[in-house]
Amino acid sequence: MQGYWCEAEIQYTKSLESSLRSDDFCAAAKTAKLAARLRAYLDMDAGVLEQEARRYAKAALDCPGSLEQRTQRDKDYETLIEERNYLRLERSLKAEKDSLFASVYARKAARTAIAQGDDTTALTLIELARIRDARQGWVTFLREDWRLRLSIEDNPQKRQAINDRIRILDDQIFPCD
C-alpha cells in the first residue's frame, strides 16, 4: 500500500513459500486471502489470488473457519453504511485501532455518501481516511482519497491542485518492470 509493488510481491511470495514448505496450507490460504483482500481494497482484480486461497484451503483439509466469511467487524461497518448512520460510523472509525479497517470503510462510506449527494459527509469521511493513510504512508490509498475528493470538488483551482497532487502521488508508486 506504500507503493512498492515489487517489494510487496516478493514478501507475499516468501510468506507463501514458507507456509507451503512448512506444510501449513491453512497459513498459505490465509496469506493468499489477505493478498486478495488488499488488492480488492485497491479496486484491483483479486480473482487469481482468491482461487489460490480456495485451492490451498481445500488442500489443507482442516482449516478452521471459512475464508469466505466476512468478519463481524466487516458486517458491523457495512450495516452502518447501509443504514447511512454516518455519525455513529464516524465515531467508530475514529476509535478503530486497525488503520486498514478505518481507511477502507471510511472510503466505502464516502463513496456511498457521494452517491447519495451528501458531499459534506463524504468530505468528513475522506479526510478521516486520508489522515490514517498519511500516517501509514499508504500512497495507493492516499491517491484514492484524493480521487474521491476530486469527484466532489467544484472549484477549478482546487481541482487543478488536487489533480497535481494525484500525479505527484502516482510518481511515488513503483511498479515492477
Side-chain angles (χ1 to χ4, degrees):
M1 291 179 292
Q2 293 179 329
Y4 299 103
W5 296 119
C6 287
E7 191 174 314
E9 285 182 26
I10 290 167
Q11 292 302 320
Y12 167 74
T13 301
K14 283 182 179 180
S15 177
L16 190 63
E17 286 176 356
S18 176
S19 296
L20 294 172
R21 288 174 194 232
S22 302
D23 198 35
D24 189 348
F25 279 70
C26 287
K30 288 177 185 173
T31 298
K33 182 63 179 179
L34 176 61
R37 208 164 183 193
L38 291 173
R39 285 186 67 88
Y41 288 158
L42 295 167
D43 290 328
M44 298 170 73
D45 181 39
V48 171
L49 292 168
E50 290 283 353
Q51 289 173 355
E52 277 186 22
R54 284 191 292 276
R55 182 174 151 229
Y56 298 140
K58 186 176 178 183
L61 300 174
D62 60 354
C63 284
S66 168
L67 293 175
E68 301 304 319
Q69 282 183 329
R70 308 285 290 153
T71 66
Q72 186 58 49
R73 188 167 48 166
D74 285 308
K75 292 174 187 174
D76 291 345
Y77 282 128
E78 288 165 359
T79 298
L80 290 172
I81 292 169
E82 287 169 16
E83 292 173 351
R84 301 176 189 169
N85 192 344
Y86 294 122
L87 290 176
R88 186 167 167 214
L89 177 67
E90 182 184 352
R91 280 194 308 267
S92 296
L93 291 171
K94 283 182 177 178
E96 177 62 59
K97 290 181 170 75
D98 186 329
S99 289
L100 182 59
F101 259 80
S103 171
V104 168
Y105 280 101
R107 249 185 320 285
K108 282 185 179 190
R111 285 185 189 100
T112 300
I114 290 169
Q116 295 166 350
D118 188 350
D119 292 353
T120 303
T121 297
L123 284 171
T124 299
L125 293 163
I126 293 165
E127 184 62 10
L128 197 152
R130 191 199 63 75
I131 289 168
R132 291 280 184 128
D133 298 339
R135 272 193 217 133
Q136 300 296 326
W138 291 339
V139 175
T140 51
F141 283 165
L142 283 167
R143 191 174 57 169
E144 294 307 309
D145 300 336
W146 285 107
R147 284 181 178 151
L148 285 173
R149 177 73 172 82
L150 180 64
S151 75
I152 57 176
E153 182 55 61
D154 293 326
N155 181 305
Q157 291 154 329
K158 287 183 180 180
R159 287 184 62 80
Q160 182 59 49
I162 293 169
N163 268 318
D164 290 344
R165 190 179 205 125
I166 292 168
R167 279 192 290 281
I168 292 167
L169 288 170
D170 283 342
D171 292 342
Q172 300 305 306
I173 296 176
F174 304 100
C176 294
D177 294 328

